[in-house]
Amino acid sequence: MGRRALVLAAVAGLLGTALVLSLVDQRLRAGEDRALEACGDRAYAAAVRADSVLGSMAEYIRPSIAERSGLWVLMSEAAERARPDVDEALSVCRDVRVRAVHRTHMRERAAYVDYLTARRDRLDAIVADGRASAETDPELARLREVAFGDRP
């Protein structure tokens, strides 16, 4: 076998290997896409549920009335009701495994986990003291934007 044939065989082998690796990577990426989509859907549903539960209770009790009447406990109870959905979504998202070479997937997973962790911590604060619900949390809002973008 001449030198030229040897070079051609090596190039063909490298191209074949690259093609196989590309196909394997596509399959791995597709599995990560599905897992991240499920994680994102759960995270968003938990966020919407928490917003709804806390928002409707906040509309009901108004801070000035709550302070005089001790109704802050209702906000604590509402936060407690929202907590299981956030915990479940956080568990699902933490369990998603992505390869380090898939940087976009790594950032997406981190955004969901960071938001859900902050949301859980915020709910914990409200459970401990319903008055915490009257405080704004710009960091939570920023993390939500990173995780969900312009989703309503």
Side-chain angles (χ1 to χ4, degrees):
M1 183 183 281
R3 181 179 164 120
R4 183 177 174 160
L6 188 58
V7 168
L8 287 174
V11 168
L14 287 174
L15 288 174
T17 301
L19 178 63
V20 168
L21 289 174
S22 175
L23 292 172
V24 168
D25 184 61
Q26 285 176 2
R27 285 191 179 187
L28 292 173
R29 188 176 293 272
E32 290 174 2
D33 284 339
R34 285 188 300 275
L36 283 169
E37 183 177 352
C39 158
D41 289 347
R42 273 216 155 109
Y44 186 70
V48 168
R49 168 122 170 88
D51 290 346
S52 175
V53 168
L54 293 174
S56 62
M57 188 55 66
E59 283 293 313
Y60 176 71
I61 65 171
R62 302 280 182 224
S64 60
I65 296 169
E67 196 62 48
R68 289 191 306 264
S69 63
L71 290 177
W72 286 118
V73 71
L74 296 176
M75 287 304 292
S76 294
E77 291 169 355
E80 190 134 19
R81 285 193 307 277
R83 183 70 201 273
D85 291 336
V86 171
D87 286 340
E88 183 179 329
L90 181 57
S91 176
V92 166
C93 291
R94 280 185 173 154
D95 287 345
V96 171
R97 297 290 168 238
V98 294
R99 276 94 192 147
V101 296
H102 298 157
R103 301 267 186 224
T104 303
H105 286 169
M106 294 288 289
R107 284 190 298 270
E108 186 177 353
R109 179 190 175 276
Y112 292 138
V113 169
D114 291 348
Y115 168 75
L116 290 166
T117 300
R119 187 61 186 235
R120 183 205 55 213
D121 293 348
R122 179 86 171 128
L123 290 172
D124 284 349
I126 297 168
V127 167
D129 183 355
R131 288 182 286 254
S133 65
E135 301 166 7
T136 60
D137 190 342
E139 179 63 7
L140 183 62
R142 185 192 71 75
L143 290 170
R144 183 184 178 115
E145 176 67 26
V146 171
F148 304 120
D150 59 357
R151 282 172 99 171

